[in-house]
Amino acid sequence: MELNRRTVVAGAAAAGIAATTLGGTAHASGGRAPVKELFGKLADGTKVHRWSLVNGGTRLKVLSYGGIVQSLEIPDRHGRYKNVSLGFDTIEDYVAKSPYFGALIGRYGNRIAKGQFTLDGKSHQLSVNDGVNSLHGGAKGFDKHVWDVEGFTSGSDVGLVLHYTSVDGEMGYPGTLKAKVTYTLTRHGDWRIDYEATTDKATVVNLTSHVYWNLAGEGSGSVYDHELRIAASRYTPVDSGLIPTGERAEVAGTPFDFRRTKTVGEDIRVAHQQLLYGKGIDHNWVLDKGITAEPEHIATLRDPSSGRTLKIATDQPGLQFYSGNFLDGTLVGSGGHIYRQGDALCLETQHFPDSPNQPKFPSTVLRPGQTYRSTTVHSFGS
């Protein structure tokens, strides 16, 4: 089965759909042209810039390095702003320490077993960087490259267009892949991500964003009291290496049942083998809606203390929920606080992990002449 993503309506019309369908808060416009500044330099002298976007009550700062969301500020129920994404103050920390804070992930989000797959009868060996497996594109994935970035204004929207070309054989992947990612802040304050990619050889693609969310504010402590709902009746169990077994198991009767709203921490200490494998939650949910032509609402996260909410819509078939299990107290974030286990969570819209080796999973194959397209919308409220 080949990729069957369909083009999603772009621009202000689609942003309006997201705000209406997902209940996005319609803040006053207030958008202004993106602002660019020097953030730092890599060891080889390459400049890294930071872009600032403001629109609809949302403030977003993005690095050209890895397309990283360095901060995302939204107001609470009293109008007080806090940064709700984990990150660092310096480019040196992102290069040396970052566990994918806020980054664009590619070519393949999540894990591929033993860093190997076969396509059209040819075997490919990828960069292995997670035990014996390949994770998030390998040792130097899309998160560790400087992207070409251009700012734009379009009607009441503001945003950035990011480009990166991954050459044939990079991290072991076949084909030269030209990736384009558009970050848009709408007049409603929604953050929309549109992914596109083309290739000159058959390859596999699975792009996503790896923001670590804490709606109470970065560095404020555990997110176990956050309330979460996921529109998924099944998930993909994993083995001890966090590789899917191929099963699509029912969430009913397990700690993975978020069909009704419950706190993140309600069942996270239950003695369930899958939680032991992940040292918490680090699993892919099989979204009930499947692959869709337009983004559909699939998850809601709320912090009761501040009233801040995040609603996510996507056209993708999966959602990786990671509960920050490997934050171990060795990282100091942008607010000067130490990050510990459970201090944030990730909700990564995606195709399923290890799909290139799982013929019963939706295909992630992209061929010459096709265009990979995917859209995710984050709507904020309080």
Side-chain angles (χ1 to χ4, degrees):
M1 178 180 176
E2 300 295 330
L3 280 174
N4 59 353
R5 301 176 180 86
R6 288 166 283 178
T7 304
V8 177
V9 178
I17 289 172
T20 301
T21 305
L22 306 180
T25 302
H27 302 283
S29 267
R32 58 174 181 259
V35 176
K36 176 183 178 182
E37 62 182 326
L38 182 65
F39 184 72
K41 295 182 180 180
L42 301 181
D44 64 1
T46 302
K47 293 180 179 180
V48 174
H49 291 97
R50 178 169 64 184
W51 291 78
S52 298
L53 305 175
V54 178
N55 204 11
T58 301
R59 304 167 180 170
L60 178 65
K61 292 184 178 180
V62 176
L63 305 183
S64 57
Y65 179 79
I68 286 170
V69 172
Q70 195 237 349
S71 73
L72 195 155
E73 298 181 349
I74 55 175
D76 66 7
R77 61 168 64 92
H78 301 295
R80 295 173 297 202
Y81 277 84
K82 280 192 177 179
N83 174 23
V84 297
S85 67
L86 271 56
F88 296 119
D89 278 333
T90 69
I91 188 60
E92 289 79 12
D93 279 348
Y94 279 107
V95 171
K97 305 175 183 179
S98 182
Y100 306 100
F101 283 158
L104 284 175
I105 301 298
R107 289 189 191 190
Y108 199 95
N110 220 291
R111 294 172 175 84
I112 294 180
K114 299 181 180 179
Q116 299 174 349
F117 69 94
T118 299
L119 179 59
D120 296 338
K122 184 177 180 180
S123 296
H124 299 276
Q125 178 62 58
L126 307 177
S127 166
V128 171
N129 62 327
D130 181 52
V132 299
N133 302 317
S134 183
L135 174 65
H136 294 332
K140 192 174 182 181
F142 285 8
D143 60 295
K144 295 177 178 65
H145 289 275
V146 175
W147 292 58
D148 294 326
V149 185
E150 297 176 0
F152 71 86
T153 58
S154 177
S156 58
D157 296 343
V158 299
L160 304 171
V161 180
L162 302 95
H163 292 272
Y164 175 68
T165 298
S166 176
V167 299
D168 183 21
E170 184 174 280
M171 296 294 103
Y173 287 91
T176 294
L177 189 84
K178 295 183 177 180
K180 173 185 174 184
V181 179
T182 304
Y183 289 169
T184 303
L185 274 190
T186 76
R187 65 186 179 90
H188 301 284
D190 295 344
W191 174 40
R192 177 187 173 103
I193 311 176
D194 291 284
Y195 305 90
E196 294 183 24
T198 58
T199 185
D200 61 359
K201 291 182 183 178
T203 191
V204 294
V205 186
N206 186 29
L207 305 182
T208 191
S209 172
H210 209 294
V211 173
Y212 284 67
W213 300 101
N214 185 325
L215 297 184
E218 170 274 334
S220 63
S222 172
V223 295
Y224 288 170
D225 62 348
H226 280 34
E227 299 166 350
L228 178 64
R229 181 179 180 275
I230 303 174
S233 302
R234 295 177 181 271
Y235 77 107
T236 52
V238 296
D239 63 19
S240 59
L242 302 182
I243 297 296
T245 63
E247 182 185 4
R248 304 187 202 196
E250 296 277 355
V251 299
T254 77
F256 301 95
D257 192 349
F258 284 86
R259 292 174 297 173
R260 64 166 180 84
T261 300
K262 67 177 183 181
T263 63
V264 170
E266 181 173 327
D267 296 320
I268 207 164
R269 304 292 186 189
V270 171
H272 190 285
Q273 184 60 62
Q274 288 295 306
L275 295 179
L276 292 170
Y277 282 154
K279 295 181 173 59
I281 298 171
D282 192 3
H283 293 75
N284 170 68
W285 267 251
V286 179
L287 299 174
D288 290 341
K289 71 173 188 62
I291 300 172
T292 48
E294 296 180 358
E296 294 187 12
H297 177 208
I298 52 89
T300 300
L301 182 69
R302 180 177 181 270
D303 169 43
S305 65
S306 67
R308 294 186 183 92
T309 61
L310 164 63
K311 296 186 177 182
I312 298 178
T314 187
D315 52 10
Q316 293 291 277
L319 179 74
Q320 185 80 11
F321 170 23
Y322 167 59
S323 57
N325 317 323
F326 297 102
L327 297 174
D328 60 2
T330 61
L331 301 177
V332 178
S334 55
H337 299 284
I338 292 173
Y339 295 151
R340 299 188 183 279
Q341 186 180 54
D343 279 359
L345 59 84
C346 302
L347 298 168
E348 305 156 61
T349 56
Q350 62 177 17
H351 266 250
F352 304 166
D354 200 36
S355 288
N357 296 309
Q358 302 279 355
K360 293 184 179 180
F361 285 180
S363 174
T364 54
V365 175
L366 181 70
R367 297 187 181 278
Q370 297 178 331
T371 300
Y372 169 102
R373 290 188 176 92
S374 173
T375 298
T376 295
V377 181
H378 306 80
S379 298
F380 306 102
S382 57

